[in-house]
Amino acid sequence: MTAATLRVAVLISGRGSNLKAILDAIAAGQLPARVVQVISNRPGAAGLQLAAAAGVPTAVVDHKRFADRAAFERALEAQLAAEAADLLVLAGFMRVLTADFVARHRGRLLNIHPSLLPAFAGLDTHARALAAGVSEHGASVHFVTAAVDGGPLIAQFRVPVRPGDTEDGLAARVLRAEHRLYPQVLAWYAAGRLALRADTVLLDGLALAAPVQFADTEDDDA
Ligand code: GAR
């Protein structure tokens, strides 16, 4: 008997290109999962249309309509309860979640961040990477904990920073990396290969001493 298909809820705030990469990987048979709902905290998020076009139910929980984070998260939890997904995937979700929310979903809540964490937590990662003069940049997927952008790292995709790179050019290179990284990590989770025990990431039952590393080859980045 095959394992039940992983049921995923995706939380977005905007464009939704990572959501699209996940939906594409599922459609291509590379990710045995089903996106059962997409929730945005922004009513105008383009990713909502993308989800609807793929036949995925969508909901908006507009943070501006709530007095505080706790009230916003109660509404978010109510939406999530409607589907009771196995895994919550943050894909460009730009609200900080409270420690209570994160604790309730511990081990079942993933995020992607556009830097090689712990470098450049927070916003404007590409501009900051360029200003710092680093030779490598990239994306990280991690389990979410109360430490913003600080949860246990699962995998990273490294890309080179090239001489003369602009912020837009670098952002595009990192985004392509994200689109390869997130479906891969989700496939591990869907296959039951990935877990969080205390603050340690387990892959195939073994503690990761460091995040799994992927890198671009020259050819991939023409
Ligand atoms: C992505 O680059 C993602 O890593 C980043 O927002 C972008 C969303 O793009 N997330 C964060 O910065 C979270 N701290 P998308 O909507 O096209 O997937």
Side-chain angles (χ1 to χ4, degrees), residues 26-218:
I26 293 171
Q30 293 158 354
L31 174 55
R34 189 155 71 87
V35 178
V36 295
Q37 63 183 166
V38 170
I39 303 174
S40 173
N41 67 303
R42 294 211 181 106
L48 288 168
Q49 273 134 52
L50 221 146
V56 177
T58 62
V60 173
V61 183
D62 182 352
H63 63 277
K64 293 195 181 128
R65 296 170 63 100
F66 299 92
D68 55 26
R69 256 177 225 284
F72 165 66
E73 288 183 354
R74 276 196 297 277
L76 188 57
E77 290 284 21
Q79 280 296 336
L80 288 168
E83 288 295 343
D86 304 310
L87 180 69
L88 269 52
V89 169
L90 307 184
F93 184 70
M94 304 308 280
R95 300 298 296 170
V96 171
L97 295 164
T98 64
D100 282 350
F101 184 98
V102 166
R104 277 195 298 277
H105 298 282
R106 194 179 168 86
R108 301 187 304 110
L109 179 56
L110 299 182
N111 182 44
I112 191 160
H113 182 79
S115 78
L116 297 174
L117 290 169
F120 311 120
L123 300 174
D124 300 324
T125 60
H126 310 305
R128 289 160 61 211
L130 285 175
V134 293
S135 60
E136 265 193 322
H137 188 40
S140 305
V141 174
H142 63 94
F143 281 106
V144 177
T145 62
V148 177
D149 296 332
L153 290 164
I154 301 165
Q156 297 183 315
F157 202 121
R158 315 180 84 84
V159 303
V161 179
R162 302 243 162 90
D165 259 344
T166 61
E167 188 181 339
D168 285 354
L170 184 57
R173 190 175 309 132
V174 171
L175 196 62
R176 283 196 294 277
E178 292 187 41
H179 297 164
R180 291 159 67 185
L181 181 63
Y182 222 173
Q184 172 63 73
V185 172
L186 295 180
W188 292 338
Y189 196 98
R193 297 177 58 189
L194 191 60
L196 181 66
R197 190 207 290 149
D199 276 328
T200 302
V201 176
L202 302 181
L203 184 61
D204 295 327
L206 298 174
L208 284 186
V212 178
Q213 299 293 318
F214 296 94
D216 243 339
T217 63
E218 295 274 323

